[in-house]
Amino acid sequence: KSFSDQLFSARLFLTSALYEPILCLLTDDEIFLDIDPAKAVIRFPPQERLRRFGAEGTEEYRVNLAAHRKQIIAKLVGHARRFVSGIRANIHCLPAFLAALIRNIFTCMESSGVEARDVWAVCTDVLFNSFICPAIVDPEPKGIIDMPISYIARFNLMQVAQILQVLALWKWEEIQPQQQDLYQELDQGLVAGLLEGILAQEEGGAGAAVAETVASQTGRLAVLITAEQMQRLTDWLRAV
């Protein structure tokens, strides 16, 4: 939690990577985007359910339910891809200490003979479950966005965060059969490749050099910082 709440470099990465995909999802909060197809129908009151899908057990009901599921999958896939693109495009902003921590965890666990599956699970937990996904679900305290989030939008953010977590572990864990129609629309290496790229870097090596080059070519017209941080920056600039 201290990664994203206290450190400026963490806030910079999270804001750069997640602002646009979160904003896009917040403007698309008309329906619940359930990953679980069994919950899609129960989101609607009986009268609304009858109007949307028809009488249960009929062909009309089956066709309309399938169309509704297809619409949900299309929206979830689109949002998931936007989040991954945002993270990938700003991975050079990932705090160096966090990248180094993940690499050290990987090296220590691997050298201790821990199974590769468990090593990957721990590294995934640090990067996604403890850092990126909490910021997706609850972006306001991180300063990523300052607009109200509806109940439906909050639920949909949670669904996208869950998709990223599943994608990160896909190489080691089976996808539930009832959710195959969703995940078959996504690239299996979409999220895992982000972590593999971090693990492949060496401190001060080629990976770091590339990240530094990309960062130097990236221009920002605005930055989100607190008044206290602005005062410290101003004092430092005056001192030098």
Side-chain angles (χ1 to χ4, degrees):
K1 188 173 185 293
S2 62
F3 289 162
S4 54
D5 287 356
Q6 303 297 329
L7 298 176
F8 174 69
S9 59
R11 284 175 172 257
L12 176 62
F13 168 75
L14 293 173
T15 302
S16 302
L18 304 180
Y19 174 77
E20 289 189 9
I22 287 177
L23 187 63
C24 183
L25 190 146
L26 295 186
T27 60
D28 184 22
D29 63 347
E30 296 179 358
I31 59 174
F32 289 94
L33 302 180
D34 283 287
I35 293 175
D36 186 351
K39 296 180 180 178
V41 176
I42 64 175
R43 295 294 181 186
F44 303 101
Q47 292 296 330
E48 178 67 11
R49 195 182 309 163
L50 180 63
R51 186 185 69 80
R52 281 177 175 265
F53 305 110
E56 190 171 353
T58 64
E59 180 65 14
E60 177 190 14
Y61 180 87
R62 187 190 67 79
V63 170
N64 289 337
L65 183 60
H68 181 68
R69 175 63 178 171
K70 186 176 181 180
Q71 179 189 17
I72 289 178
I73 290 175
K75 287 179 177 290
L76 283 172
V77 168
H79 287 304
R81 285 174 176 166
R82 270 187 287 272
F83 274 91
V84 175
S85 296
I87 296 169
R88 186 183 299 278
N90 292 278
I91 199 67
H92 60 274
C93 293
L94 186 74
F97 76 90
L98 181 55
L101 173 64
I102 293 172
R103 288 192 293 271
N104 287 337
I105 290 174
F106 180 86
T107 302
C108 290
M109 293 186 70
E110 189 178 46
S111 61
S112 299
V114 179
E115 290 188 15
R117 176 192 180 110
D118 295 331
V119 175
W120 185 268
V122 172
C123 293
T124 297
D125 185 74
V126 173
L127 180 60
F128 291 101
N129 299 8
S130 301
F131 182 57
I132 294 177
C133 289
I136 293 175
V137 174
D138 194 22
E140 307 101 303
K142 281 69 175 179
I144 299 172
I145 205 163
D146 61 357
M147 63 186 295
I149 299 178
S150 68
Y151 176 75
I152 294 179
R154 182 82 65 186
F155 175 84
N156 293 342
L157 286 171
M158 293 171 64
Q159 297 297 282
V160 171
Q162 183 178 330
I163 289 174
L164 296 186
Q165 291 170 336
V166 171
L167 289 176
L169 293 171
W170 195 349
K171 63 186 295 183
W172 298 105
E173 296 186 1
E174 293 286 337
I175 302 296
Q176 297 181 21
Q178 65 269 30
Q179 299 175 8
Q180 285 286 355
D181 56 350
L182 166 62
Y183 289 101
Q184 69 183 5
E185 299 293 328
L186 294 163
D187 182 0
Q188 184 173 357
L190 199 63
V191 175
L194 297 172
L195 184 54
E196 289 172 346
I198 294 171
L199 294 174
Q201 289 183 8
E202 297 181 4
E203 291 190 60
V210 171
E212 184 178 351
T213 301
V214 174
S216 67
Q217 296 173 349
T218 302
R220 292 180 62 87
L221 300 179
V223 63
L224 182 64
I225 60 177
T226 65
E228 181 181 0
Q229 290 169 334
M230 175 62 78
Q231 185 60 51
R232 290 179 181 175
L233 176 61
T234 303
D235 293 341
W236 179 80
L237 288 173
R238 287 173 176 168
V240 299

